[in-house]
Amino acid sequence: MRNLLSANFLRLKKSALFWGLLLLLFGLGMLFTLHRVKEQAQWGAHFYLTVDLFTYALFLGFGMAAFIPLFFGAEYSDGAIRSKLVIGHSRWAIYLSHLVTSVAVALSAAAAYLAPVLAIGLFVYEPPNMDVGTFLLILLGSLVLLAAYCALYTLVMMNCASKSAAAVICLVGMLVLYVAAGNIEIPLMHPEYMSMEVTDSGEIIPGEPNPRYVGGAKRVVLETLHDLLPTGQSLQYMRADVAHPARLPLYSLIDVIVLTAAGVLLFRKKDLK
Amino acid sequence: MRNLLSANLLRLRKSHLFWGTLALSFGFGVWVAVNQVLEQMRYGGFEDSPAFSRYTSVVGMVIAVFVSLFFGTEYSDGTIRNKLITGQSRISIYLADLITASACSLLFEIAYLIACFAVGTPFMSSGLLRHLETQPTVFVLTIVGSLVLTLAYSALFLLITLNCARKTTSAVACILGAFILLMVGIYLDGRLEAPEYITGYELSIDGQVVPAEPELNPDYLQGIKREAYQFLYDFTPGGQTVQYSMVAAGNLHLMPLYSLIILIVSTGAGVALFRRKDLK
């Protein structure tokens, strides 16, 4: 396993794709922060530190969907996987080494994004409008989410013999999951009442009930699905508006375990020709 | 050229990718139209853009996947070399692929429209096709324009696919390209939609909430900057995608012309690059 990992890291060090991804994320972090700084200087807007801090949770959903098939897919076409098996590595060790490497890549890319945002943002933004515990939970959750994305794409890439098919499935799959999360959000956002009235004594009188409001068991199901989907989590982290900050990292961990178990099982049975 | 086209046609007839994309486009049309009719029945109206234009928002992605996978195989299987050996010129190979890609893209959009109208027409009075009744010119120009737009997308993605020897790289480049174009369109739309004045609310002395003096919106684009943004919004495929999918009555006469310019320029560039490419 250690040999496999060091081989992967050696390839990473020489990979233009890897360095390109880091540079892209660094550039995006810098661009967003400078844009906000300009807005602050021009019309006195005020932003919290969290304004663009967790946007990488969405960017890397797409970034890793492109990176994993491009970087590891070459193992199939070059026959590197067969070579690794011939020298006595087990299939699960190969699978896990790929997963660990891709998680390391995702975390490095997140660090590349966070570096400019924090370096400038800490001086120019207002402190986050949440307690430290919630802030750290959101930060931790968004990083565990990256592992969930990596687990999903590794499952596809390792079990799909055609590299280009894996790339299309990962990228289009990410888009479909993103649209699905957006569509789950729409009914959840409808308010319960069409209007609200506040009396002089401060009492709130609800108006007509909203026919589009989703309540009861259906709401619980939609909310859980939204929290379980990596893209649903990305949308929440991106806005730094997370309803259940403690629950999300747990769901991501469940995603990682289930997807990896399924992926290893499928990969063990796969005919590598 | 005729041989190349018939070879492509034969490949298409046997291609699961082609039939699958066609079936998905048709199915998507049925799904969108049924959903809109149901929403109309349930709530007496619908919130989103009309069903017939909804495909435009995904058409770039569909063409990106199809073109990169279908024509990318020509490289990986060495078909291009075979075609050259049989005496076909590079330009005719490129143009035959362009014609095939354009025809497929049009077919996907038409399959969606047929499905949509087949479901929607019986419910015309309910407003599914309200644009046909209220703004027939906008309706027709939107459909014609979105069909021409598919040609521009085909030419752009073929330029990438036929000049990129690795199928995976071209698939990733095309899909990310389609996505970035769409994001650019959404960004331009947001910038152009910013209102000129912002009216806030303030509390008057007697406790009433009254509208405040309108203030100039700092985000509002003016002068030459606004014209430049508007031009990009009309010219770029992403901007057109946003406008067609919302059935916005913008520069509907100009946009198909811009699409044709994109088609010609990207084909010119694509052919020039492809002629010099080392096919190993």
Side-chain angles (χ1 to χ4, degrees), chain B:
Chain B
M1 182 79 162
R2 194 178 289 176
N3 285 346
L4 286 170
L5 279 174
S6 58
N8 279 349
L9 207 66
L10 197 70
R11 262 191 70 209
L12 272 183
R13 270 176 53 193
K14 294 181 180 180
S15 161
H16 293 303
L17 181 69
F18 170 70
W19 291 111
T21 315
L22 200 64
L24 274 179
S25 302
F26 188 85
F28 185 55
V30 172
W31 184 69
V32 169
V34 165
N35 263 332
Q36 206 154 73
V37 169
L38 284 179
E39 198 175 340
Q40 172 91 26
M41 284 172 166
R42 231 178 271 161
Y43 307 118
F46 49 87
E47 292 184 319
D48 304 313
S49 53
F52 76 89
S53 69
R54 202 79 68 78
Y55 189 64
T56 319
S57 52
V58 295
V59 79
M61 203 60 69
V62 172
I63 298 173
V65 172
F66 177 77
V67 169
S68 61
L69 287 184
F70 189 80
F71 296 101
T73 326
E74 303 234 326
Y75 265 110
S76 49
D77 298 355
T79 323
I80 286 192
R81 273 196 302 271
N82 294 343
K83 286 178 178 172
L84 286 171
I85 290 166
T86 57
Q88 303 289 347
S89 69
R90 289 197 182 202
I91 187 163
S92 49
I93 294 175
Y94 194 101
L95 290 182
D97 284 358
L98 179 70
I99 292 169
T100 314
S102 307
C104 291
S105 307
L106 286 175
L107 275 177
F108 299 149
E109 172 105 30
I110 290 167
Y112 172 87
L113 289 173
I114 288 175
C116 210
F117 288 132
V119 177
T121 310
F123 299 92
M124 251 175 101
S125 56
S126 68
L128 185 78
L129 301 172
R130 60 179 172 190
H131 282 84
L132 183 59
E133 296 155 359
T134 54
Q135 296 168 290
T137 322
V138 173
F139 178 83
V140 172
L141 283 177
T142 299
I143 289 185
V144 172
S146 46
L147 287 171
V148 182
L149 177 63
T150 63
L151 304 183
Y153 272 124
S154 311
L156 276 176
F157 298 136
L158 197 68
L159 158 70
I160 297 174
T161 305
L162 286 186
N163 287 293
C164 187
R166 293 173 64 185
K167 195 169 136 191
T168 313
T169 314
S170 56
V172 170
C174 289
I175 295 172
L176 286 183
F179 184 67
I180 290 168
L181 282 174
L182 186 63
M183 288 297 118
V184 168
I186 292 171
Y187 171 76
L188 291 170
D189 178 63
R191 288 305 308 269
L192 286 163
E193 284 295 310
E196 191 168 359
Y197 290 98
I198 312 169
T199 314
Y201 290 91
E202 57 189 31
L203 218 56
S204 68
I205 304 162
D206 55 354
Q208 293 272 314
V209 179
V210 289
E213 271 296 296
E215 273 178 57
L216 193 69
N217 183 1
D219 273 341
Y220 181 74
L221 295 166
Q222 283 172 318
I224 201 152
K225 207 170 171 188
R226 187 172 189 85
E227 279 171 27
Y229 272 71
Q230 184 65 50
F231 171 73
L232 286 175
Y233 190 46
D234 294 340
F235 188 83
T236 55
Q240 291 194 19
T241 295
V242 173
Q243 295 190 62
Y244 286 135
S245 60
M246 295 190 310
V247 199
N251 294 322
L252 288 172
H253 291 92
L254 276 176
M255 290 197 289
L257 208 68
Y258 291 147
S259 290
L260 286 177
I261 293 175
I262 293 174
L263 169 77
I264 293 165
V265 171
S266 52
T267 304
V271 169
L273 286 168
F274 186 60
R275 284 175 76 172
R276 283 189 209 157
K277 188 151 180 67
D278 173 16
L279 295 174
K280 289 165 194 158

Side-chain angles (χ1 to χ4, degrees), chain A residues 98-143:
Chain A
H98 282 185
L99 180 62
V100 171
T101 312
S102 36
V103 172
V105 170
L107 292 179
S108 317
Y113 177 86
L114 285 172
V117 180
L118 285 175
I120 306 170
L122 278 174
F123 297 102
V124 294
Y125 292 148
E126 310 260 334
N129 58 339
M130 55 180 78
D131 59 80
V132 181
T134 313
F135 178 79
L136 290 176
L137 263 180
I138 292 183
L139 181 65
L140 173 80
S142 63
L143 295 175

